[in-house]
C-alpha cells in the first residue's frame, strides 16, 4: 500500500474550516503551503495536504485552497481591552511535520506528515505520545472512541483513542482527497471521480455505492444530521443525508471560487475568493461575505473565531457573533503554523517548522 503523495503547493493563505488542513497532492487542503498525500498501499500514495491557504484556494493551485479549519478572518473592529489569550508553557514536541490537528476523547491529536506516526497529546500534562500508523498520515478526525487516519491513497486506519492500538488499513478505493466524520460514518471525498464514499464506524466497511456530488469535491464538514461537500469544479455546495448518504435537496450555487468549509452553531462557513461566506444551515440562505486580509489559518469554537497571521507571527481572536476583535494580538505563535483547532481547554497551534504544538489559553473577554 502506498502512502499519499506530496501535495502540490497551494497559493494563498489558509482558510477557515473546522479543524482541517490542506489536501494531498492532487487535492487542495486546509492550510497554506504544500504537502504530500498518503501513498497507496501498493505504490505511490495520496499527496500531502496543504493547510488552509488564506486565499481560499481550490485544487490544483488555481486559488490557494483554504480548508476552512474553522473559519474566518474578520474585519478588525475595535478590540476590547481584555486579554484575548496567553501562550501556556513551552511548545510540546510532536512527530515530524504535524500537518493536521484535531481534538477529541480528552486529547489533542496531530497527523505527522514526514513520519508514519500520529501524536496523542495529554492537555493536562503537556506531553505527547507517538503512535505508529504506517503510510503518510495526512489528515485525521476523531469520533466514537477512535482516531480515523487518512494515511494511504486508497485506505484509512482506525486507532483506538484510549489504547493507541491501530487496526488494519480499511480499503476505501483510490484517490482519497479529504476525510470527515459524523453520524456514525467516516466520509471520504474523491475529486477525480466527483464522488463521496462512507465507512460505517461499527463494521469498518464501506457502506453503499459512491455518491455523485459534483465536480472536484474537495472539502467537507458534518453539520446538522448531514454532510456538506464543497465542489470546487462547479462552485456548489451539496448536502448528503447523514442516515441514507444520499443527496438532500438541490446543490447551492455560489458565483465564486470555493475552498474550505466549516459548520458551527447552525452556520456554514465556506472559503470564497478573498473572504468567507456564511450560510444559514437550515434555510441555505447566503449571508454577506466576511472580508479578511493577511490571515492564513482559522478555527472557530466557544463563541470565538481565531485567525493566524503568519507574516505578523500572531493570532487574533474575534467574536463569532459581531465580528469584533476580542483583546489584542497574541504574539509569537503563528509563524510556521499549519493548522489550529479549538477544544480541550484552549486553542492548539500545530507548527510544521519546529515539529511542535503550542497551547493558547483563552482570556476573559
Amino acid at each position: 500500500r502506498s502512502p499519499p503523495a506530496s501535495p502540490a503547493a497551494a497559493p494563498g493563505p489558509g482558510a477557515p474550516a473546522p479543524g482541517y488542513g490542506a489536501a494531498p497532492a492532487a487535492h487542495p487542503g486546509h492550510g497554506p503551503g504544500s504537502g504530500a498525500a498518503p501513498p497507496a498501499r501498493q505504490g505511490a500514495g495520496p499527496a500531502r495536504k496543504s493547510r488552509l491557504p488564506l486565499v481560499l484556494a481550490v485544487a490544483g493551485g488555481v486559488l490557494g485552497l483554504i480548508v476552512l479549519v474553522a473559519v474566518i478572518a474578520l474585519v478588525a473592529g475595535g478590540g476590547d481591552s481584555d486579554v484575548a489569550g496567553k501562550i501556556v508553557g513551552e511548545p510540546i514536541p510532536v512527530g515530524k511535520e504535524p500537518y493536521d490537528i484535531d481534538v477529541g476523547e480528552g486529547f489533542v491529536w496531530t497527523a505527522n506528515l514526514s513520519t508514519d506516526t500520529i501524536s496523542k497529546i495529554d492537555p493536562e500534562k503537556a506531553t505527547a505520545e507517538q503512535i505508529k500508523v504506517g503510510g503518510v498520515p495526512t489528515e485525521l478526525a476523531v469520533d466514537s472512541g477512535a482516531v480515523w487516519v487518512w494515511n494511504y491513497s486508497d485506505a484509512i486506519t482506525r486507532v483506538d483513542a484510549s489504547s493507541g492500538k491501530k487496526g488494519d488499513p480499511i480499503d476505501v478505493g483510490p484517490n482519497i482527497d479529504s476525510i470527515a466524520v459524523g453520524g456514525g460514518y467516516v466520509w471520504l471525498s474523491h475529486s477525480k471521480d466527483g464522488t463521496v464514499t462512507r465507512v460505517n464506524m461499527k463494521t469498518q466497511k464501506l457502506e453503499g455505492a459512491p455518491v455523485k456530488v459534483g465536480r472536484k469535491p474537495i472539502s467537507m464538514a458534518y453539520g446538522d444530521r448531514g454532510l456538506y461537500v464543497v465542489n470546487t469544479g462547479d462552485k456548489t455546495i451539496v448536502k448528503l443525508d447523514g442516515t441514507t448518504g444520499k443527496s438532500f435537496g438541490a446543490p447551492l450555487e455560489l458565483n465564486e471560487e470555493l475552498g474550505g468549509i466549516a459548520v458551527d452553531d447552525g452556520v456554514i462557513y465556506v472559503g470564497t475568493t478573498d473572504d468567507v461566506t456564511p450560510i444559514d444551515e437550515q434555510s441555505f440562505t447566503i449571508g454577506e461575505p466576511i472580508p479578511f486580509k493577511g490571515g492564513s489559518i482559522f478555527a472557530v469554537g466557544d463563541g470565538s473565531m481565531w485567525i493566524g497571521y503568519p507574516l505578523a507571527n500572531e493570532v487574533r481572536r474575534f467574536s463569532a457573533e459581531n465580528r469584533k476583535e476580542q483583546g489584542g494580538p497574541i504574539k509569537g505563535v503563528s509563524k510556521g503554523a499549519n493548522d489550529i483547532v479549538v477544544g480541550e481547554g484552549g486553542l492548539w497551534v500545530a507548527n510544521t517548522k519546529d515539529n511542535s504544538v503550542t497551547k493558547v489559553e483563552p482570556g476573559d473577554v
Side-chain angles (χ1 to χ4, degrees):
R1 187 175 287 286
S2 53
S6 317
Y20 278 67
H27 142 70
H30 300 244
S34 60
R41 282 186 294 170
Q42 302 173 342
R48 265 191 211 183
K49 354 174 239 181
S50 55
R51 221 153 177 58
L52 329 202
L54 214 152
V55 181
L56 304 183
V58 196
V62 177
L63 297 173
L65 164 68
I66 303 178
V67 183
L68 254 86
V69 163
V71 20
I72 326 182
L74 302 196
V75 236
D80 297 336
S81 59
D82 297 320
V83 179
K86 64 178 181 180
I87 297 174
V88 179
E90 296 296 320
I92 304 166
V94 294
K96 191 174 180 181
E97 202 172 357
Y99 201 66
D100 191 20
I101 189 167
D102 201 2
V103 294
E105 303 297 331
F107 296 92
V108 180
W109 307 83
T110 65
N112 306 316
L113 197 61
S114 294
T115 62
D116 60 350
T117 67
I118 62 173
S119 295
K120 177 183 180 180
I121 300 171
D122 185 320
E124 299 301 322
K125 297 178 181 178
T127 57
E129 172 190 357
Q130 314 310 318
I131 301 172
K132 279 188 169 291
V133 295
V136 177
T138 303
E139 285 187 11
L140 49 71
V142 187
D143 196 7
S144 299
V147 183
W148 305 88
V149 186
W150 167 30
N151 54 335
Y152 295 102
S153 61
D154 57 354
I156 60 175
T157 299
R158 180 190 185 277
V159 177
D160 185 275
S162 178
S163 68
K165 182 179 179 181
K166 79 176 182 69
D168 293 329
I170 302 169
D171 291 306
V172 297
N175 306 314
I176 302 172
D177 285 298
S178 63
I179 183 173
V181 293
Y185 294 92
V186 181
W187 305 79
L188 305 142
S189 71
H190 310 269
S191 65
K192 184 177 180 180
D193 301 325
T195 63
V196 168
T197 56
R198 61 179 184 164
V199 172
N200 186 304
M201 292 184 183
K202 291 182 178 179
T203 65
Q204 296 181 40
K205 296 182 182 298
L206 279 172
E207 185 170 303
V211 178
K212 284 282 186 181
V213 291
R215 292 176 50 227
K216 295 184 179 178
I218 297 298
S219 48
M220 306 181 294
Y222 198 87
D224 182 25
R225 299 184 298 279
L227 181 79
Y228 296 97
V229 183
V230 170
N231 297 307
T232 58
D234 51 23
K235 303 176 184 178
T236 62
I237 296 176
V238 170
K239 181 177 182 179
L240 300 186
D241 184 275
T243 301
T244 67
K246 303 300 182 183
S247 295
F248 184 85
L252 177 66
E253 297 183 11
L254 289 88
N255 296 318
E256 297 188 75
E257 301 293 346
L258 305 182
I261 187 170
V263 184
D264 184 70
D265 196 24
V267 180
I268 302 166
Y269 297 94
V270 60
T272 44
T273 309
D274 294 330
D275 52 38
V276 173
T277 299
I279 301 167
D280 180 72
E281 193 175 1
Q282 296 303 318
S283 66
F284 253 27
T285 299
I286 301 173
E288 197 66 29
I290 304 164
F292 61 82
K293 185 177 182 179
S296 74
I297 49 177
F298 313 77
V300 61
D302 298 331
S304 294
M305 290 172 280
W306 303 80
I307 302 120
Y309 295 83
L311 291 178
N313 194 19
E314 64 187 24
V315 169
R316 297 180 186 176
R317 180 182 179 184
F318 298 84
S319 166
E321 183 177 359
N322 60 28
R323 307 177 189 177
K324 289 185 178 181
E325 188 168 357
Q326 299 175 309
I330 302 167
K331 299 287 188 179
V333 74
S334 188
K335 190 174 183 180
N338 198 61
D339 196 12
I340 57 178
V341 67
V342 177
E344 299 301 338
L347 172 75
W348 301 85
V349 184
N351 191 306
T352 58
K353 299 300 182 185
D354 61 12
N355 306 319
S356 69
V357 169
T358 297
K359 179 182 179 180
V360 174
E361 183 178 274
D364 295 326
V365 294

